[in-house]
Amino acid sequence: MGQGSITKFFQKKSLLRFVQKYQPLGSGEPEEEPQQECELKIIQQEQEVAVLPPKDACKCHKEDLARALNVDLQTGLSEFSVLQRRSKHGWNEFSVENTEPIWKKYLDQFKNPLILLLLASALVSVITKEYEDAASITMAVLIVVTVAFIQEYRSEKSLEELNKLVPPECNCLREGKLQHLLARELVPGDIIYLSVGDRVPADLRLIEVTDLLVDESSFTGEAEPCNKTEGVLLEAGDITTLSNVVFMGTLVRYGKGKGVVIGTGENSQFGEVFKMMQAEETPKTPLQKSMDRLGKQLTLFSFGIIGLIMLIGWLQGKHLLSMFTIGVSLAVAAIPEGLPIVVTVTLVLGVLRMAKKKVIVKKLPIVETLGCCNVICSDKTGTLTANEMTVTRLVTSDGCQAEVSGVGYNGDGNVYLLPSKEILKEFSNISIGKLVEAGCVVNNAVIRKNTVIGQPTEGALIALAMKMELADIKDIYVRKKEIPFSSEQKWMAVKCTLKNQDQEDIYFMKGAFEEVIQHCTLYNSGGISLSLTPQQKALYQQEEKRMGSSGLRVLALASGPELGKLTFLGLVGIIDPPRAGVREAVQILFESGVSVKMITGDALETAVAIGQNIGLCNGKLKAMSGEELDQLAEAELSSTVQNVSIFFRTSPKHKLKIIKALQRAGAVVSMTGDGVNDAVALKSADIGIAMGRAGTDVSKEAANMILVDDDFSKVMNAIEEGKGIFYNIKNFVRFQLSTSISALSLITLSTVLNLPNPLNAMQILWINIIMDGPPAQSLGVEPVDRDTIKQPPRCITDTILSKSLILKIFMSAIIIISGTLFVFWKENPKGGITPRTTTMTFTCFVFFDLFNALTCRSQTKLIFEIGFFRNRMFLYSVLGSFLGQLAVIYIPPLQKIFQTENLGVVDLLFLTGLASSVFVVSELIKLCEKRCCPPKHTRGCHN
């Protein structure tokens, strides 16, 4: 029996139970027709149940909600209802449409113009019976295509990874019983019970709540958990304001609750992110665009050569077909088949070097794209900051001030009295000691293994007590009563008594300053309670405003025998502080022409405080809210976002808008983030960078790059690597093209002028091995030049074949051609070509090749500046090529194959001196450029 038949069988059985349950008294067998009508009516009712958008659900009363979702809030759904609803709404999961089979994705790699050109070369080689060439070209193409395919295939798993964030299990009420189910089985109308530590399994409208706090930072970027209620909302604002709705994938930090499922799978808020991500395509990297352009340029060059040769041959009266064959063969020789391999090898080595620095790169071309990056958009919570609330400032009621070091919930750090910087422990300062004690006692959080269980704000107060060595002071009190925090009263209090002592009860209170101060009649001064005057209140209010304006979350603390007669103890400033090393990284990025922009769901004051703390835009900050973004037209947005450094109160849609606007303005944008709300932006950015430890699975899979240890400063290492790689590729292109043009021109000139060929087929093959072999490949692994790192980002419109590079290529080619033709003319006797003629010409060309490779190690620096021994692979490959050439000249079996003969020491010295001219001239040009035209830093396209 098939799966569909089994499902229908159980549906029918469930329906019969459901219908029979409601048969009128006294009836025997249910009548066929009424039963069928009843069945159809029930099925129709279930089919009409639709998902409720959060903004509608938040305005519904419980009774309206039960009616809209056709559910009894006391017993939950029946199994029949669940089956009917699942047939309409599907499973509570995300289905990735895999429209393209793997083989098609693999074949798509062959669309690259350079790859197609190489395949055409292989085909021509087969037609002209050059089977060795055809085999080597085909092998090169297969290696490049396979490596690229594997990288691309791995990176496209981002949509599948969304399933991993959907919680696997939940507590659900069905048919009056509380069941433990897989989250994927939920349907709209299911009743869910939530408790501390649960991941919310679907979008829920809350119907019962007890002190429920939910961490929505992965959605909104807010570090502070949201206080949830069950009451009806009159107005539905942004999703961050929907206090009676909880969203799939968020985390219950405190309390418990009960809710009705209003959205599952792709119909949840999480699903909105999924759909946006599905619609996004990863943009092409600047290197891919440059390689496409180079492929097209080489194609045009090849067709130009074929046309020229055919025209000259036709004018000379030669056979047209034979001239076409020669032209095509020469064009094939001109195409550097080693280029895709060198690019791939260079990028792979860059990836490996970055892996050692704990940066994982998932797509090869992304490495080089980093060199073009001129804007970094960064999420705040969990990326620029650690997403760990920390007390940073204390102000006591008698005017003592202290600053606190250390980040997170580990107790590392100290409390320093200002201005003396004296380290305080326990009650060495009575006023600060009493303030910290109160924060520790009026507290429900627990810290275990550097993780807070409970409210992060309360965790910050416990961590402060740990730094003061007062974490155990809570144990000397017995708690008698707790008045929990509520959003209406904005304070929390506990009634305690000292253990084993017959003393009167003492209240400890914490909360918003304006609420706590109303319960105070006294203030603490060095352990003595004094009467609280209006002047004192005004001073505290001024201090509270000053701390709040600097982005701190301010809590007031008090203690005393009665709630109306408390002693004011002071103020505590809490913030989610920047990660270590972020300020320095932002400064270096700013100096090298990279603009850093902060995008956060937080409020303006907090965002500006962190922005100033990390030195965004050298302190010249301009901020914009998500609402202001929505009001701008597309054209206006592109010009405005360039000058804004902080975007606050933003949603995933806003993040996407910002990135698209910057890209339209010509910027190469990198996005760093860690939450679900960052996933769409990470995928649409030119470079998506996720956090390895704090990052959600979906953000890691959507990104191109992962910072393993969440260290934002590692972005700097990655950008340095990217800047160096492009220059290595340019060096290789210069060497390959100058060598291939030289070889091509020699054969062309001899063909056109009816001269004997200066090189035979085996010698050309040997030159081709050197041209595409180790000396050429080793240019791709040249260590990154330190001065290259200091340069601003490369403009994406810069091509690999720039005007200056083309001039240098032709200069080297002219010197090589002139020198080789001079040797050919000098050694060419009147009686015809001898083995000595071809040996001298052949060796001269190979030596020119090796000296040309030496000067191609840098476009701007002299060999003495970059150092002879820095690139050891290059040294070994040049030495190997030199010894190989000597073997071809002096070993008898090889002499027969290559038609060479022994040369004298004087001959070798003469050829070495002549061939070094290409190196000497190139170095002199570099020297002139340094003296006459000091190096201009390449300005990025985006300022």
Side-chain angles (χ1 to χ4, degrees):
M1 192 183 278
Q3 192 177 349
S5 308
I6 294 169
T7 307
K8 282 176 185 173
F9 171 75
F10 280 113
Q11 279 185 355
K12 187 78 175 170
K13 196 173 176 185
S14 174
L15 180 61
L16 280 169
R17 275 206 326 269
F18 189 79
V19 174
Q20 284 167 5
K21 188 179 171 182
Y22 295 102
Q23 285 301 314
L25 287 168
S27 65
E29 287 293 314
E31 291 178 19
E32 193 66 31
E33 282 186 25
Q35 182 182 314
Q36 283 182 349
E37 282 176 26
C38 191
E39 278 183 29
L40 290 168
K41 194 175 180 182
I42 293 162
I43 290 169
Q44 192 179 353
Q45 280 179 343
E46 293 300 336
Q47 290 289 337
E48 284 172 1
V49 173
V51 293
L52 273 178
K55 290 186 179 181
D56 293 341
C58 69
K59 298 176 190 172
C60 290
H61 289 275
K62 289 182 190 178
E63 300 76 23
D64 299 332
L65 198 67
R67 202 162 30 251
L69 293 167
N70 195 21
V71 61
D72 184 331
L73 300 180
Q74 303 309 312
T75 58
L77 295 174
S78 67
E79 288 301 326
F80 169 73
S81 298
V82 170
L83 288 167
Q84 288 299 322
R85 292 178 194 205
R86 189 172 296 133
S87 68
K88 181 183 178 183
H89 299 288
W91 295 95
N92 180 28
E93 61 188 9
F94 304 100
S95 56
V96 181
E97 291 178 22
N98 191 11
T99 48
E100 280 195 349
I102 291 175
W103 60 266
K104 191 174 183 301
K105 286 183 179 179
Y106 185 77
L107 291 179
D108 282 347
Q109 301 293 327
F110 289 90
K111 288 179 181 176
N112 183 325
L114 201 59
I115 297 290
L116 291 171
L117 197 57
L118 289 173
L119 289 172
S121 304
L123 184 64
V124 169
S125 300
V126 170
I127 293 165
T128 54
K129 298 185 179 178
E130 299 289 338
Y131 298 117
E132 295 89 352
D133 281 358
S136 64
I137 291 168
T138 307
M139 188 58 69
V141 167
L142 285 173
I143 290 167
V144 170
V145 162
T146 305
V147 170
F149 166 73
I150 290 165
Q151 289 292 332
E152 300 267 331
Y153 184 69
R154 281 178 59 209
S155 73
E156 287 301 318
K157 284 165 60 186
S158 56
L159 294 172
E160 296 163 31
E161 284 298 315
L162 275 155
N163 287 316
K164 292 183 183 176
L165 197 62
V166 176
E169 294 173 340
C170 61
N171 293 312
C172 178
L173 182 71
R174 281 186 186 168
E175 296 189 331
K177 296 174 190 170
L178 191 61
Q179 303 176 30
H180 200 62
L181 301 174
L182 289 172
R184 72 187 292 268
E185 295 178 23
L186 296 181
V187 293
D190 264 326
I191 310 293
I192 304 298
Y193 283 77
L194 299 171
S195 55
V196 178
D198 286 353
R199 281 239 179 236
V200 179
D203 287 358
L204 309 178
R205 161 68 163 88
L206 297 168
I207 53 174
E208 285 179 23
V209 162
T210 309
D211 301 335
L212 186 65
L213 289 173
V214 178
D215 182 350
E216 294 183 344
S217 61
S218 68
F219 255 112
T220 62
E222 289 270 14
E224 194 66 25
C226 302
N227 196 34
K228 294 294 179 180
T229 60
E230 62 193 75
V232 178
L233 300 183
L234 298 174
E235 282 297 319
D238 191 57
I239 61 163
T240 54
T241 63
L242 306 183
S243 59
N244 59 5
V245 176
V246 287
F247 301 104
M248 179 194 285
T250 55
L251 182 68
V252 178
R253 284 279 189 194
Y254 189 73
K256 56 187 180 179
K258 178 180 171 185
V260 186
V261 174
I262 57 170
T264 58
E266 291 180 29
N267 294 315
S268 63
Q269 278 298 310
F270 203 108
E272 289 297 311
V273 176
F274 171 81
K275 281 182 258 187
M276 284 170 71
M277 208 170 147
Q278 210 170 26
E280 276 310 305
E281 283 192 17
T282 309
K284 266 195 171 185
T285 69
L287 181 64
Q288 286 169 327
K289 290 172 187 172
S290 293
M291 295 304 290
D292 286 353
R293 276 198 297 271
L294 182 61
K296 285 166 188 169
Q297 286 168 342
L298 290 174
T299 307
L300 290 171
F301 175 68
S302 301
F303 282 120
I305 290 287
I306 294 168
L308 183 67
I309 295 287
M310 285 180 69
L311 179 65
I312 291 168
W314 178 67
L315 291 172
Q316 288 179 343
K318 292 183 181 177
H319 194 262
L320 207 59
L321 187 62
S322 65
M323 291 313 298
F324 176 74
T325 309
I326 291 168
V328 170
S329 302
L330 291 174
V332 168
I335 297 163
E337 60 261 36
L339 180 59
I341 289 182
V342 164
V343 170
T344 306
V345 168
T346 306
L347 294 174
V348 166
L349 289 169
V351 167
L352 294 174
R353 281 195 296 268
M354 285 163 74
K356 287 178 185 173
K357 294 172 183 173
K358 295 194 173 176
V359 178
I360 295 169
V361 178
K362 291 161 62 184
K363 288 183 90 174
L364 283 182
I366 287 298
V367 186
E368 186 276 333
T369 311
L370 287 156
C372 305
C373 173
N374 45 27
V375 178
I376 294 178
C377 293
S378 181
D379 174 50
K380 178 186 77 72
T381 309
T383 305
L384 295 174
T385 67
N387 198 11
E388 294 179 323
M389 299 302 279
T390 306
V391 175
T392 56
R393 196 159 188 83
L394 303 172
V395 178
T396 65
S397 52
D398 55 358
C400 289
Q401 298 211 10
E403 65 178 24
V404 186
S405 66
V407 177
Y409 308 117
N410 48 25
D412 295 343
N414 291 301
V415 178
Y416 299 95
L417 187 65
L418 297 176
S420 64
K421 291 279 184 181
E422 176 196 343
I423 295 175
L424 301 177
K425 296 289 178 190
E426 296 183 333
F427 289 94
S428 55
N429 179 297
I430 191 77
S431 298
I432 285 175
K434 284 181 84 66
L435 182 66
V436 174
E437 176 193 35
C440 189
V441 176
V442 61
N443 202 312
N444 290 321
V446 179
I447 290 177
R448 284 194 195 128
K449 296 179 182 177
N450 300 341
T451 305
V452 68
I453 299 165
Q455 275 205 59
T457 305
E458 293 192 331
L461 294 171
I462 299 284
L464 171 67
M466 288 161 72
K467 291 169 189 176
M468 287 275 288
E469 296 176 4
L470 286 171
D472 298 331
I473 200 156
K474 200 176 185 176
D475 300 337
I476 70 169
Y477 292 97
V478 177
R479 188 181 290 193
K480 288 185 169 182
K481 181 185 176 186
E482 177 186 330
I483 303 167
F485 178 90
S486 75
S487 52
E488 288 78 30
Q489 66 186 28
K490 294 183 180 175
W491 57 266
M492 169 195 175
V494 291
K495 180 182 176 183
C496 302
T497 185
L498 284 162
K499 276 183 183 174
N500 308 321
Q501 290 185 33
D502 270 345
Q503 287 195 356
E504 62 179 23
D505 295 337
I506 181 167
Y507 281 90
F508 290 95
M509 180 187 278
K510 76 166 190 293
F513 167 74
E514 63 273 14
E515 299 299 326
V516 172
I517 201 76
Q518 288 178 19
H519 292 81
C520 298
T521 53
L522 305 166
Y523 76 95
N524 174 56
S525 180
I528 301 163
S529 294
L530 301 176
S531 185
L532 186 62
T533 63
Q535 289 86 350
Q536 288 291 124
K537 283 186 182 181
L539 277 172
Y540 300 147
Q541 191 170 15
Q542 200 177 344
E543 186 61 42
E544 189 262 344
K545 279 189 176 172
R546 195 173 65 80
M547 290 168 78
S549 64
S550 65
L552 295 173
R553 180 162 189 237
V554 184
L555 285 180
L557 290 150
S559 66
E562 290 178 41
L563 282 182
K565 297 178 181 177
L566 298 180
T567 302
F568 184 69
L569 298 175
L571 302 168
V572 173
I574 301 171
I575 199 167
D576 178 15
R579 288 183 183 275
V582 167
R583 185 181 178 86
E584 294 76 11
V586 168
Q587 189 59 36
I588 294 166
L589 287 165
F590 181 78
E591 287 168 4
S592 66
V594 181
S595 163
V596 180
K597 299 181 188 296
M598 183 203 293
I599 308 178
T600 178
D602 252 336
L604 174 64
E605 293 78 15
T606 311
V608 169
I610 295 293
Q612 287 172 338
N613 201 329
I614 63 175
L616 274 188
C617 248
N618 254 8
K620 298 167 189 170
L621 299 176
K622 187 180 176 187
M624 180 182 273
S625 70
E627 279 185 18
E628 289 172 308
L629 268 172
D630 288 332
Q631 290 162 12
L632 292 176
E634 198 173 278
E636 197 182 350
L637 188 64
S638 293
S639 58
T640 307
V641 292
Q642 297 177 53
N643 306 314
V644 178
S645 45
I646 291 174
F647 297 92
F648 63 98
R649 291 288 183 222
T650 57
S651 68
K653 285 180 182 175
H654 291 135
K655 291 182 180 185
L656 186 60
K657 248 187 173 181
I658 293 161
I659 284 166
K660 295 283 188 192
L662 286 165
Q663 287 172 332
R664 280 196 302 273
V668 176
V669 185
S670 164
M671 173 76 199
T672 61
D674 66 329
V676 177
N677 59 335
D678 301 317
V680 183
L682 286 169
K683 190 166 185 190
S684 64
D686 296 286
I687 309 149
I689 305 172
M691 300 290 129
R693 287 182 191 162
T696 54
D697 281 349
V698 64
S699 69
K700 285 184 218 172
E701 281 299 321
N704 314 111
M705 211 169 99
I706 299 165
L707 306 179
V708 176
D709 52 6
D710 293 7
D711 186 354
F712 181 81
S713 59
K714 290 286 170 67
V715 175
M716 265 311 302
N717 299 124
I719 287 175
E720 289 168 0
E721 198 67 54
K723 284 180 179 178
I725 282 171
F726 184 76
Y727 291 100
N728 284 353
I729 292 169
K730 280 186 90 164
N731 295 342
F732 168 81
V733 168
R734 179 186 169 181
F735 170 70
Q736 271 230 319
L737 290 184
S738 57
T739 305
S740 61
I741 286 169
S742 304
L744 186 69
S745 302
L746 273 175
I747 298 161
T748 306
L749 284 169
S750 62
T751 306
V752 170
L753 301 173
N754 274 328
L755 294 172
N757 207 327
L759 302 168
N760 63 44
M762 285 308 294
Q763 289 168 352
I764 291 170
L765 183 65
W766 177 252
I767 288 165
N768 208 39
I769 288 168
I770 291 175
M771 189 174 83
D772 292 325
Q777 307 284 330
S778 63
L779 288 171
V781 298
E782 188 74 30
V784 176
D785 185 7
R786 288 185 186 88
D787 287 347
T788 304
I789 290 160
K790 294 173 189 172
Q791 290 186 2
R794 178 175 68 80
C795 188
I796 50 169
T797 53
D798 288 352
T799 56
I800 292 174
L801 282 177
S802 59
K803 284 181 183 176
S804 64
L805 189 68
I806 291 169
L807 287 172
K808 285 174 182 174
I809 287 167
F810 279 112
M811 180 211 69
S812 298
I814 288 164
I815 294 169
I816 294 169
I817 294 162
S818 304
T820 309
L821 283 175
F822 170 72
V823 170
F824 181 61
W825 169 77
K826 180 176 168 289
E827 296 295 332
N828 195 2
K830 289 175 184 176
I833 289 180
T834 62
R836 176 177 168 80
T837 309
T838 53
T839 306
M840 285 289 282
T841 310
F842 171 44
T843 307
C844 178
F845 193 95
V846 170
F847 281 14
F848 263 122
D849 234 14
L850 299 179
F851 275 109
N852 187 31
L854 187 62
T855 196
C856 285
R857 282 180 61 194
S858 172
Q859 302 295 321
T860 53
K861 289 202 165 187
L862 301 172
I863 190 69
F864 305 107
E865 290 177 292
I866 56 174
F868 270 103
F869 306 105
R870 207 167 65 141
N871 186 350
R872 295 202 173 178
M873 185 180 164
F874 177 81
L875 280 180
Y876 297 144
S877 58
V878 167
L879 184 63
S881 300
F882 177 71
L883 293 173
Q885 183 63 22
L886 293 182
V888 165
I889 297 168
Y890 295 109
I891 295 173
L894 292 175
Q895 284 179 336
K896 284 180 182 176
I897 295 168
F898 287 92
Q899 297 170 19
T900 56
E901 65 175 39
N902 292 353
L903 297 178
V905 176
V906 175
D907 292 330
L908 289 176
L909 290 173
F910 164 71
L911 292 174
T912 304
L914 180 65
S916 66
S917 61
V918 71
F919 169 76
V920 173
V921 171
S922 185
E923 294 294 290
L924 286 171
I925 288 170
K926 287 180 196 174
L927 196 62
C928 290
E929 282 176 346
K930 283 174 95 72
R931 295 277 170 87
C932 308
C933 327
K936 290 179 184 174
H937 287 316
T938 313
R939 285 182 66 80
C941 294
H942 176 82
N943 295 315

